[in-house]
Amino acid sequence: SQNQYNAAENVIAAVAEGKRTIVAELCARFGKTIWSGAMVCETGAQLTIVASYVLTSFASFKKDLTSFEQFRNLLLVEAGDTGWEEKVNESINNRQQVVVFLSMCAGGRRQDKIDTLFSVPVNKLIIIDEADFGVHQVKQSQPLIEARKEDDVVILMTGTNGDKAASIWPVDHYLSVTYPELLIEKHKDRLES
């Protein structure tokens, strides 16, 4: 949609200006998962980490990122599946873009997964989905804040409560798309057709 395009252009321009921690407060029905896939492709990130405390969101990402032709070259990997580390390393060595789904639920192996992912020697795109739920807490965010490298881009993506999502992150860019904006764009499209 035009709103997705505009939001992608906004974030790409911010990254080009050196912004590295972005709050993307994108309303319901915006199409956040599709927009995220566009961000992966357009930034050229070899390694994208989709982190969430809300694990059901991963199903949406997998469905959307396998349903559209423009995402066909992305390799999707669930951190925690058997052999996930090898799949990530192989795709990086083959210069293929890989998207890794990382659960931020507390667990004995979470820090090991974070350490493994952030030790990969490429710049990363980190998309924190539902960033205002769970991951906004210090115990969830701090391991990611400490692991990220200077040039890694973090997008705190949420439908609501962007302030809560960003509470402990060093945010340097903010983007918002509201539901009324979607309705206005839809109305303009109808008038033009």
Side-chain angles (χ1 to χ4, degrees):
S1 74
Q2 187 63 48
N3 284 303
Q4 289 170 316
Y5 178 89
N6 293 345
E9 199 171 60
N10 177 297
V11 171
I12 290 166
V15 170
E17 293 171 5
K19 309 300 184 190
R20 293 294 179 263
T21 308
I22 297 157
V23 173
E25 192 168 11
L26 308 169
C27 68
R29 304 292 163 251
F30 173 83
K32 290 185 276 297
T33 55
I34 296 291
W35 180 80
S36 297
M39 295 309 304
V40 172
C41 293
E42 293 301 319
T43 61
Q46 247 193 295
L47 175 58
T48 298
I49 301 164
V50 177
S52 185
Y53 191 80
V54 183
L55 303 186
T56 54
S57 74
F58 295 156
S60 295
F61 275 91
K62 290 174 189 172
K63 178 182 178 289
D64 286 350
L65 297 182
T66 57
S67 296
F68 296 94
E69 183 69 16
Q70 62 263 45
F71 306 132
R72 72 182 176 285
N73 293 325
L74 301 179
L75 175 67
L76 309 181
V77 176
E78 180 93 38
D81 281 356
T82 303
W84 73 271
E85 298 99 324
E86 291 79 18
K87 289 178 186 174
V88 170
N89 289 330
E90 186 177 310
S91 69
I92 296 296
N93 290 337
N94 292 331
R95 302 231 179 269
Q96 181 181 16
Q97 287 183 292
V98 61
V99 178
V100 180
F101 301 102
L102 174 66
S103 166
M104 290 308 295
C105 296
R109 297 235 21 232
R110 184 182 72 181
Q111 190 60 49
D112 291 341
K113 292 173 190 174
I114 291 170
D115 293 343
T116 298
L117 287 167
F118 283 88
S119 70
V120 177
V122 296
N123 290 342
K124 294 156 204 71
L125 173 62
I126 300 98
I127 298 172
I128 302 179
D129 190 38
E130 305 290 356
D132 62 324
F133 186 81
V135 185
H136 71 283
Q137 296 181 26
V138 173
K139 289 182 181 180
Q140 304 299 318
S141 291
Q142 201 61 44
L144 296 174
I145 292 169
E146 291 173 4
R148 77 182 293 196
K149 307 296 184 277
E150 186 177 341
D151 282 329
D152 293 340
V153 174
V154 175
I155 299 175
L156 301 162
M157 189 171 68
T158 183
T160 55
N161 300 320
D163 55 331
K164 186 176 176 183
S167 59
I168 67 167
W169 288 87
V171 174
D172 52 12
H173 188 73
Y174 174 81
L175 163 72
S176 172
V177 178
T178 64
Y179 192 69
E181 289 174 284
L182 295 186
L183 295 176
I184 290 167
E185 190 62 42
K186 187 175 181 179
H187 182 70
K188 281 173 31 180
D189 288 347
R190 278 195 206 138
L191 291 176
E192 291 171 4
S193 38

